[in-house]
Every structure is written in structure tokens, then in C-alpha cells.
Amino acid sequence: NAAAKARHGMNEAIARLSTGVRSMYGGDAGGAAYALKVRAEGKSAMMAARNVEDGISFLQAGESALLEIAALNTRLRELAVQKLNAATLAAEDEAAIDAEANAIIAAGNDIDLATMNGTALLTAAIAFTKNLDGGLTTQGAAAGITLAATVANTATSFTAIGKALGSMAAGISALKGFQGTLYALGANYEAAAARVQDTDFARSSANLAKFSILNQSAMAMVPQANQANAAVLAVLQ
């Protein structure tokens, strides 16, 4: 009986040391159930944080596209102002201005249709993960900016570009806030689960040494017990 108990104690210590799980061999079933749930929530939080990172990258790509459109619109406004000085321009000069303006308009309108992994960067706001339960937040800018070569139209385009950039910047800031919270939740949930479920290696190592000695001692006593019984029988004989 003593040898069996020592063997179970030794096997328990070996199981906990080899797996790193304190609840092995029937240790703290309630704690194991709690730790599994909390650890799953922690991993979900870290995955949600990665999803948010994808959202931030998406908005940053859209922001870069808007900045390029803004640069093109700036040049378009310069050309529109230059063309107002028509009295000093020859026909070929105006034709050159128009050619550049048309090329800029075409480029700007093509950029407005840019996509990332098949999703439009500027023509629709989309939903991103914001918490570990699958909640979503809608961010982005439904810009739909069209460039046109007059001073008035470039001013209208700048208004649309500025509004869209503001929406992108606000979305990036919001997602960073969600991401920071999710990273903190993931780390703390994992730490909480570890405190409950992870093996106490110092204690389990000590128990392994203790029960190994007890097991060896119990087995060594078997022949001693046999000898004692033999002595009794010898007396009876």
C-alpha cells in the first residue's frame, strides 16, 4: 500500500513536470475548467488584436492613396490657375495644359478605385473587429473623389479629400485604441490562466524526489517484511 501511494505521487509529479499542467492527475478540476476558459479568451483577444492590425494597415493604405490624390489635385489647381492667364498663352500652350490636366484627372480617378486584397480602399467604409467577442466597428471613408480641372472644382475636391483623410485618421486612432486594449486583455488573461493551471516546478520537482525515495524505501521493505515473516515461521517450527 505504501509503495502504491509513493508510486502514484511520483507519477503525478512526473506528469505535471512533463506537461507543465498543474491539474494533471486530478489536481484542481475547478481551476482547470476556469483556466481553459480564460486561456481561450486570451487567445481570442490576441487574434482580435491581429485582426485590428489588418484594419490599421487597410486604413493606412487608404490614407496613402488619398495623399497621392491630394498631390495630384494640387497640381491640377496650379494648372487651372495657369490657364486663367489665357491672354498670354498660345493655343499650343493651352493644349499642353489640358493634356497634363487630363492625365492627372485620369490618374486620380484610377487611384480612387484602388483596392487591397479585393476591397476598395476609398469608396466604402468597412467593419473591423473591435473586441474578443466578435464586435465590429465601422471605419474608413466613402470618399468617391472625382477630380476636375477648374479652380472651383479643385476646391470642392480638396474639401472631399480633407474629409476623407479625417475619417481615415479617426479610424486609425480608434483601431489603435481597440488594439491596445486587446493586447492588454490577451496578456492578462494568459497570465491569469498560467497562475491557476501552470505547474509549480519547484514544488513538483521536490515531490518527485520525495516520492522516488519513498517508493524505493517501500520496495526495500518488502524483503524485510518477508524475512520477519520467515523468522516467525521458524519460531513456530
Side-chain angles (χ1 to χ4, degrees):
N1 183 44
K5 289 181 178 180
R7 186 175 67 254
H8 283 307
M10 185 173 62
N11 288 340
E12 176 185 292
I14 290 172
R16 293 179 180 180
L17 288 168
S18 61
T19 62
V21 179
R22 187 178 63 86
S23 57
M24 292 292 292
Y25 255 74
D28 192 7
Y34 167 81
L36 286 172
K37 182 176 71 172
V38 172
R39 185 159 273 154
E41 289 177 345
K43 291 184 181 298
S44 296
M46 296 303 289
M47 178 56 69
R50 287 179 54 191
N51 288 347
V52 171
E53 188 70 37
D54 292 340
I56 291 172
S57 297
F58 180 89
L59 294 181
Q60 286 177 332
E63 185 179 54
S64 297
L66 284 170
L67 291 173
E68 291 300 327
I69 292 175
L72 290 173
N73 198 53
T74 299
R75 178 55 182 162
L76 196 59
R77 183 182 176 89
E78 290 176 341
L79 293 172
V81 172
Q82 183 182 18
K83 194 175 179 181
L84 292 176
N85 202 28
T88 63
L89 296 175
E92 59 269 24
D93 299 330
E94 292 190 16
I97 292 172
D98 289 339
E100 183 178 354
N102 290 334
I104 289 173
I105 291 169
N109 292 339
D110 284 343
I111 293 173
D112 191 52
L113 300 176
T115 63
M116 181 175 182
N117 200 27
T119 301
L121 290 171
L122 302 179
T123 57
I126 62 174
F128 303 105
T129 301
K130 69 176 180 180
N131 58 42
L132 59 88
D133 295 322
L136 300 176
T137 178
T138 301
Q139 304 291 343
I145 298 165
T146 301
L147 301 184
T150 68
V151 173
N153 286 334
T154 56
T156 300
S157 295
F158 276 127
T159 299
I161 293 168
K163 182 179 179 181
L165 281 171
S167 296
M168 291 292 190
I172 291 170
S173 295
L175 290 181
K176 285 181 178 178
F178 290 128
Q179 186 183 52
T181 301
L182 289 166
Y183 276 138
L185 286 174
N188 284 295
Y189 283 164
E190 184 68 28
R195 283 190 288 269
V196 173
Q197 192 177 41
D198 286 3
T199 296
D200 183 337
F201 283 89
R203 182 175 182 179
S204 292
S205 296
N207 283 340
L208 178 59
K210 169 188 172 181
F211 288 115
S212 294
I213 293 171
L214 286 175
N215 184 57
Q216 294 175 31
S217 177
M219 297 304 296
M221 290 304 101
V222 173
Q224 296 296 328
N226 289 336
Q227 289 177 12
N229 291 333
V232 172
L233 290 173
V235 171
L236 291 175
Q237 290 174 355

